[in-house]
Amino acid sequence: MAMDRTFLGWDRPALVSAADWLIDRYAADGAVDLGGVVVVAPGRRAGRRLVELLLAGAEEKGLLLSPPRQATPGTLASVVCRFDEAIATGVERRLAWVGALRARGAGELGAFLPKPPDGDDWGAWAALADRLDNLHMELAGERLTFGDVARLGQNMADFNESDRWGAMERVRADAVARLRDAGRVEQNAARWDAIDHKRFDETARSVVLVGVVEPGATMRALVEAMGDRVTPLVFAPADLADRFDAIGGLKAEAWCEATVVIEDETIDVADQPSDQADAVVRAVASAGGRYAADDIVIGVPDVKLVPLIGQHLSLMGVDSRYVEGRPMRQAAPCRLLAACVSHLEDGRFSTLAALLRHADVEALLSGELEADEAAADWQTLADEVHTRHLQRRPIRDWLERADRRGRLARVYQAVHDWLEPLRGGAKPAGAWAQPILDVLRGAYGSLELDTRVDWQREAAEALGALCGAAGQMRDAAERLTQAEPISGADALRTVLQLADEKPLIAPADSAALEMLGWLELALDDAPMAVVASMHEGAVPESVVDDAFLPDGLRRTLGLMDNERRLARDAYLLASMAATKQRLHLIAGRSGADGQPAAPSRLLMTGGAGEVVR
């Protein structure tokens, strides 16, 4: 049976309308039972906000609420499908790819790699493995392989890369075989198999799509297979129905040609990034106190402007919070381990000094301090010895007078002993998990963290992420017995990369203005929005330098391309222009990188006279 699209209109915020629709649809006998419903929102934040609105709406009507299960387009299959095989983790895929790559000869690698990494350069092999894995995951989500690229690319007049993609396909097949030998299957293959055989969770009686306008091939096939169990809620007026397909996805051509109505007073043009930040502050101030902090949202399509905007707001006494968080690698424990990687690999005075600069080393080496000595003296001493004697690497025969030599030797030995568990030859990746935990324990084992203090909360999150990543690496290596051995520094680098997949997110604060990325803005129900970086390259985003999948090839393969990005961003801007009580759009004459930028083409749609004006 066909799915019944429901158009929510633009007279109210999308999530408010969706919450009311769900309550009206499922209210019965004094309750709103959504236990058998899976709600799919474009992002996790929108899903959480929808549940908040459901709770508030049910309480207002005196109804008991059984909340729905939540999913995003990327996780829907994992929520509603039943899998017969274990899914490979990210680190398992990396180990399989590295093994498959290193098993190839130079001639075969040369077909797609001008200069293969050195044999013992694990970091370079891992970076290459991640690049190919990301390519594979994007293609597999559309049910394509590297071999399909070689075949379908023949439809392009100037395509001459069949040999390149054919060689990459052989590597991919080897990586998949290594995963299967370990009892693992890549997640997209498992999803397509479950969809083909309609292995769905029967407790998921209904699936409601809330404002999902970019369904990928996997999600599209899934909801089509589930048929009338799926209801798309489309955030647009019904008279725009011809711009959406049967499941609420955008028709790219229709939106690329659409006129986005933007009032002149909505647009502000600033010069440098700092001027854009000032314009954001002015726009917030223009509200004149008519809106509370949680009624104003700041959109930052170019995330490089987030710190600058935050600083300018702070100077005016306004707190802000970037809801997508900061990279985990910025937390103190991760920065400490990154300095350890450098010192383990290079062992120079500069890497030793970098370690000694880290605040957490003071607690680690406190036993080496004399009564009248400060921790900062260590780094100064290392720098002075290096400058005086030009020793590239610290050695036990210090070229320094006795009193200073003794101090430096104690510090050097303490650092050396602390990192000793990570020294030695190459070992299976899993063998490094416990040594990494020992190094972390040496630095933080005696530290009592108070999660009410920001930096201590971040440190606790980072330590948890690092310990979890070490466990993932150990488990993956135990299953993939063919995995290549690696050094302690490379194992540490792997753990850091795994931990960095989880962001550091500050706790919600009702007094702080929230900053969002572009894709989250349209579904945010704040009545006032201030959007910076409304220039070409940011809105719409444009990808022009993809060495493997340039835009023309993407279009041939049916992947996300610049035309679809333009259509998506036109829709998002049109929906915000129609629903926000106050909207400020700030275009910069230069981007965060200082390069000249043109205003977004979406600010200049309409007739010729309007565009010129």
Side-chain angles (χ1 to χ4, degrees):
M1 295 177 64
M3 285 168 276
D4 182 19
R5 293 182 305 176
T6 298
F7 288 84
L8 300 178
W10 279 341
D11 57 327
R12 293 191 302 162
L15 297 183
V16 174
S17 297
D20 288 347
W21 184 91
L22 286 164
I23 290 172
D24 292 343
R25 173 74 173 268
Y26 291 96
D29 301 324
V32 182
D33 185 6
L34 298 174
V37 178
V38 178
V39 171
V40 186
R44 290 186 177 88
R45 181 176 185 274
R48 290 193 298 270
R49 178 57 180 158
L50 179 59
V51 171
E52 293 174 359
L53 292 168
L54 286 169
L55 288 168
E59 183 178 2
E60 182 180 344
K61 295 184 177 183
L63 301 172
L64 296 175
L65 176 70
S66 296
R69 281 185 281 175
Q70 298 181 56
T72 64
T75 63
L76 177 60
S78 299
V79 173
V80 302
C81 291
R82 292 183 290 104
F83 303 117
D84 290 342
E85 298 177 277
I87 308 298
T89 65
V91 67
E92 288 169 342
R93 297 199 311 270
R94 172 186 286 179
L95 293 175
W97 276 103
V98 169
L101 283 164
R102 296 183 73 169
R104 315 251 80 75
E108 191 168 0
L109 288 176
F112 62 91
L113 195 64
K115 188 178 184 303
D118 294 335
D120 59 352
D121 190 349
W122 167 265
W125 286 110
L128 176 59
D130 290 346
R131 181 72 176 97
L132 293 182
D133 183 55
N134 289 335
L135 274 174
H136 164 64
M137 293 295 282
E138 182 178 6
L139 289 166
E142 303 292 315
R143 209 167 197 173
L144 297 170
T145 65
F146 294 163
D148 292 325
V149 178
R151 176 175 55 83
L152 295 173
Q154 300 298 324
N155 298 324
M156 299 175 61
D158 57 349
F159 185 80
N160 58 2
E161 297 187 342
S162 294
D163 291 345
R164 180 193 198 195
W165 287 98
M168 290 165 60
E169 172 62 17
R170 290 188 287 276
V171 177
R172 184 201 67 83
D174 188 358
V176 169
R178 290 168 183 261
L179 289 173
R180 285 209 170 273
D181 289 344
R184 291 292 185 269
V185 64
E186 188 269 309
Q187 68 175 20
N188 285 300
R191 289 173 175 177
W192 283 110
D193 184 66
I195 293 169
D196 289 344
H197 295 89
K198 295 190 175 183
R199 290 196 302 271
F200 302 137
D201 182 354
E202 294 305 320
T203 64
R205 298 187 299 274
S206 300
V207 175
V208 179
L209 311 180
V210 179
V212 177
V213 296
E214 290 186 282
T218 305
M219 178 180 167
R220 186 178 295 278
L222 174 57
V223 299
E224 289 175 352
M226 298 186 76
D228 61 354
R229 292 162 65 177
V230 181
T231 302
L233 301 183
V234 184
F235 182 36
D239 58 8
L240 298 181
D242 59 348
R243 298 185 187 179
F244 299 86
D245 62 25
I247 66 171
L250 300 176
K251 292 182 178 179
E253 183 177 354
W255 281 102
C256 286
E257 297 174 352
T259 296
V260 182
V261 180
I262 302 293
E263 301 296 333
D264 286 1
E265 58 270 19
T266 296
I267 303 171
D268 192 4
V269 180
D271 287 325
Q272 303 300 318
S274 59
D275 299 316
Q276 292 188 59
D278 286 338
V280 170
V281 174
R282 288 196 303 272
V284 171
S286 72
R290 291 187 295 274
Y291 295 99
D294 56 2
D295 289 330
I296 304 174
V297 64
I298 299 173
V300 194
D302 185 349
V303 297
K304 295 175 185 159
L305 286 179
V306 167
L308 186 62
I309 293 173
Q311 291 167 10
H312 282 238
L313 288 169
S314 179
L315 289 172
M316 300 302 295
V318 179
D319 293 331
S320 62
R321 169 180 175 266
Y322 184 50
V323 299
E324 296 182 22
R326 298 186 296 113
M328 184 67 72
R329 61 180 175 272
Q330 294 181 4
C334 294
R335 288 188 286 107
L336 179 61
L337 292 194
C340 292
V341 171
S342 297
H343 189 58
L344 286 166
E345 291 185 328
D346 292 337
R348 292 178 292 180
F349 264 104
S350 58
T351 59
L352 176 63
L355 262 178
L356 297 180
R357 287 189 190 98
H358 197 290
D360 294 345
V361 172
E362 180 175 357
L364 171 70
L365 303 181
S366 58
E368 304 302 321
L369 281 171
E370 296 180 348
D372 59 346
E373 190 176 17
D377 292 342
W378 295 332
Q379 188 265 321
T380 302
L381 178 59
D383 284 343
E384 288 178 353
V385 172
H386 180 223
T387 302
R388 185 192 304 266
H389 301 288
L390 299 180
Q391 283 184 261
R392 182 173 180 269
R393 297 180 182 276
I395 56 176
R396 296 181 187 278
D397 296 327
W398 306 103
L399 302 176
E400 191 53 64
R401 66 176 190 259
D403 58 332
R404 290 161 62 86
R405 184 167 62 239
R407 290 171 56 203
L408 193 57
R410 292 199 318 275
V411 172
Y412 170 80
Q413 190 61 47
V415 171
H416 188 278
D417 292 346
W418 171 49
L419 296 179
E420 184 61 28
L422 295 176
R423 300 184 190 278
K427 302 177 185 177
W432 293 110
Q434 188 58 50
I436 289 173
L437 296 178
D438 291 341
V439 167
L440 282 173
R441 187 176 296 109
Y444 296 100
S446 61
L447 187 64
E448 295 183 4
L449 296 173
D450 183 352
T451 56
R452 294 170 297 182
V453 180
D454 285 347
W455 74 267
Q456 296 188 48
R457 173 185 53 77
E458 289 188 354
E461 288 185 24
L463 289 169
L466 290 167
C467 292
Q472 289 180 46
M473 184 180 68
R474 178 198 60 220
D475 296 343
E478 288 177 354
R479 282 188 284 267
L480 275 81
T481 55
Q482 302 178 55
E484 301 283 337
I486 61 178
S487 69
D490 286 327
L492 199 53
R493 183 182 286 110
T494 298
V495 166
L496 283 167
Q497 290 170 335
L498 290 172
D500 200 39
E501 294 174 359
K502 179 182 177 182
L504 283 168
I505 298 179
D509 182 353
S510 60
L513 294 181
E514 292 195 334
M515 289 191 278
L516 304 179
W518 172 249
L519 299 182
E520 295 276 6
L521 277 173
L523 288 185
D524 187 87
D525 55 320
M528 177 176 175
V530 181
V531 189
S533 58
M534 287 294 298
H535 55 257
E536 283 292 302
V539 181
E541 181 187 11
S542 180
V543 178
V544 296
D545 57 353
D546 192 321
F548 286 95
L549 293 171
D551 198 62
L553 182 55
R554 284 180 167 276
R555 190 170 296 116
T556 298
L557 298 173
L559 301 175
M560 174 63 79
D561 59 19
N562 288 336
E563 182 181 38
R564 287 169 61 181
R565 291 186 186 95
L566 173 61
R568 175 199 66 197
D569 292 350
Y571 161 75
L572 294 175
L573 183 57
S575 65
M576 282 190 284
T579 57
K580 297 299 182 186
Q581 295 177 15
R582 290 174 66 96
L583 179 63
H584 295 263
L585 303 174
I586 302 165
R589 291 192 173 93
S590 64
D593 56 2
Q595 296 299 312
S600 169
R601 73 190 79 172
L602 296 177
L603 302 180
M604 296 181 286
T605 61
E610 185 176 359
V611 171
V612 170
R613 177 175 53 78

